[in-house]
Amino acid sequence: MIDLNFLGRFRTKAKFKKTYKDIKISYLNRIRWAVSMFYFGMGLCFATWASRIPDIKTALHLSSGELGSILFAVPLGQLVVMPFSGKLVTRFGSHRILILSLLFYVFSLTNLGLAAQAWQLSLGLFVFGIFGNLANIAVNTQGVYTEELFKKTIMSSFHGMWSFAGFTGALVGLGMLALELTPYEHFLIVAGIVLLMIAFNYKFLIKAKEIIKTEKKKLFTKPDSALIWLGIIGFCCMASEGVMFDWSGVYFKDVIKAPGPLVILGYTSFMIMMAGGRFFGDGLIHKFGRKPVMQISGIIISLGLFTSVFFPYLIPSTIAFMFVGLGVSTIVPTLYSIAGKNPTVPPGEALTIVSSVSFLGFLMGPPVIGYIAELSSLRFSFAFIGVFGFLIAFMVSRIKAIQ
């Protein structure tokens, strides 16, 4: 049976309400698939960029510190749009914002391949961050709506599609390297694939807008403290995740000294385990509960990162990166699921608070790694991030909202 009570929270046309009252399981599954494809498209775009970072770093003759500075452009883009993303989703509907933002996200990806100087790459990443943030809030709002239609936890599977896209992007990147295609040619091919995904699935997004309360609000209001703490946990998790995306290739190339195509092995092993953990994560949470799963996940993150630091060799580090992928797999989807059901804040705005704080870790962690690596070594910077997993386990045990 489908719980339709949540439909009362939306301002929709009569046709939309009728559609969901008479919904069939087959159409419900088609909605889930469409939302999953938007997660996949976003993940594929980001993984495509991440897979070519070592090549772009070499082509532009960037040091680790210079690359770290340039990577700050992405969180700056996010910070610019952060105050407005949740309100835009609430006002215009997540389906509209998702389609538009993903289109511009794809366009900004292709522009990254044209960068011939450091300032051009910085500008491109700034725009990439803006539309990435908008798409992230919108797609997770769609995920919350779909999860409520199914009346069970499915958020981890959505994020599993994002992770699977990361794995796919890594394999495609490996193929593009073998074919000796330039980053721009690579990015154009991926852009075409994502545009086709949008064309075949946009009609099945949930067309809903949150009811906007008319009472006057203060210009500045204190955010829900529970959402802030959820965001801090997400910050620690996504800092670890961001390091894997942006620095795993560099780590395997400069520290592990992996030969040729094996440079991408660490990133690929990480993505395989993160995707697998997310597809099985909903079942584990249902069986053992959110808190134990998140606590163990935090410990696994730290063990993986410290293993790669103390045993900087090909096989141990590959296994270590697999542990990190497994550790980060269920934490963020669980946080988003909890935030989206906050009783006092609309899903779009609640997700903005949690994901914005979380994504600061995802986007600021990699640049900080670059600075630490410049001052000491890349191994020491990975050890620094390794502490975050233990912090996650500690904070999860102290927050009442996580049961």
Side-chain angles (χ1 to χ4, degrees), residues 128-321:
F128 196 59
I130 289 175
F131 292 110
N133 179 266
L134 282 171
N136 173 63
I137 299 302
V139 78
N140 279 293
T141 302
Q142 283 285 314
V144 169
Y145 292 166
T146 309
E147 188 175 65
E148 293 193 55
L149 277 175
F150 273 83
K151 202 180 178 182
K152 64 179 181 180
T153 302
I154 59 173
M155 186 65 79
S156 286
S157 66
F158 285 138
H159 285 253
M161 290 299 293
W162 193 94
S163 301
F164 180 66
F167 172 62
T168 304
L171 290 181
V172 171
L174 189 61
M176 297 299 175
L177 286 171
L179 294 172
E180 298 183 352
L181 295 180
T182 65
Y184 181 62
E185 293 168 335
H186 177 183
F187 295 169
L188 276 179
I189 292 171
V190 171
I193 294 172
V194 176
L195 290 176
L196 285 175
M197 290 180 184
I198 295 173
F200 282 109
N201 293 286
Y202 79 94
K203 291 183 179 180
F204 298 95
L205 294 177
I206 296 178
K207 300 171 180 65
K209 291 192 297 182
E210 291 288 333
I211 296 175
I212 303 173
K213 297 181 180 180
T214 56
E215 63 263 21
K216 188 176 180 180
K217 294 183 178 180
K218 295 180 180 179
L219 184 60
F220 298 102
T221 57
K222 183 180 178 181
D224 189 307
S225 60
L227 295 175
I228 295 297
W229 280 109
L230 292 177
I232 293 172
I233 294 173
F235 177 96
C236 293
C237 178
M238 297 191 79
S240 306
E241 188 175 331
V243 167
M244 290 291 103
F245 274 107
D246 288 358
W247 286 100
S248 58
V250 178
Y251 193 86
F252 262 60
K253 183 177 182 179
D254 295 346
V255 178
I256 308 300
K257 307 296 183 183
L262 291 182
V263 165
I264 207 169
L265 182 61
Y267 173 80
T268 305
S269 63
F270 165 79
M271 290 305 307
I272 289 173
M273 292 304 292
M274 185 166 72
R278 285 178 169 171
F279 285 121
F280 291 105
D282 291 323
L284 291 174
I285 290 170
H286 179 74
K287 185 174 182 179
F288 299 107
R290 292 188 177 111
K291 184 167 289 188
V293 171
M294 293 177 71
Q295 287 174 318
I296 294 172
S297 296
I299 294 171
I300 290 175
I301 291 171
S302 291
L303 291 178
L305 285 168
F306 282 119
T307 298
S308 68
V309 171
F310 292 118
F311 302 97
Y313 310 105
L314 186 64
I315 294 177
S317 292
T318 300
I319 296 172
F321 282 19

Side-chain angles (χ1 to χ4, degrees), residues 10-88:
F10 304 142
R11 175 186 293 144
T12 60
K13 296 180 181 179
K15 182 179 178 182
F16 173 74
K17 288 186 177 180
K18 183 178 179 180
T19 299
Y20 280 92
K21 286 180 180 178
D22 300 333
I23 195 169
K24 295 181 179 179
I25 294 299
S26 59
Y27 190 78
L28 186 61
N29 288 329
R30 184 64 181 88
I31 291 172
R32 181 176 181 177
W33 176 254
V35 175
S36 296
M37 285 296 97
F38 275 87
Y39 274 92
F40 186 90
M42 286 183 59
L44 186 61
C45 286
F46 190 84
T48 298
W49 148 248
S51 71
R52 299 307 291 259
I53 288 176
D55 299 299
I56 293 174
K57 176 178 181 286
T58 301
L60 298 183
H61 308 290
L62 301 172
S63 67
S64 293
E66 289 170 335
L67 178 61
S69 297
I70 290 172
L71 291 176
F72 259 124
V74 183
L76 283 177
Q78 186 194 25
L79 285 169
V80 167
V81 76
M82 191 184 297
F84 314 105
S85 52
K87 291 180 174 59
L88 288 171

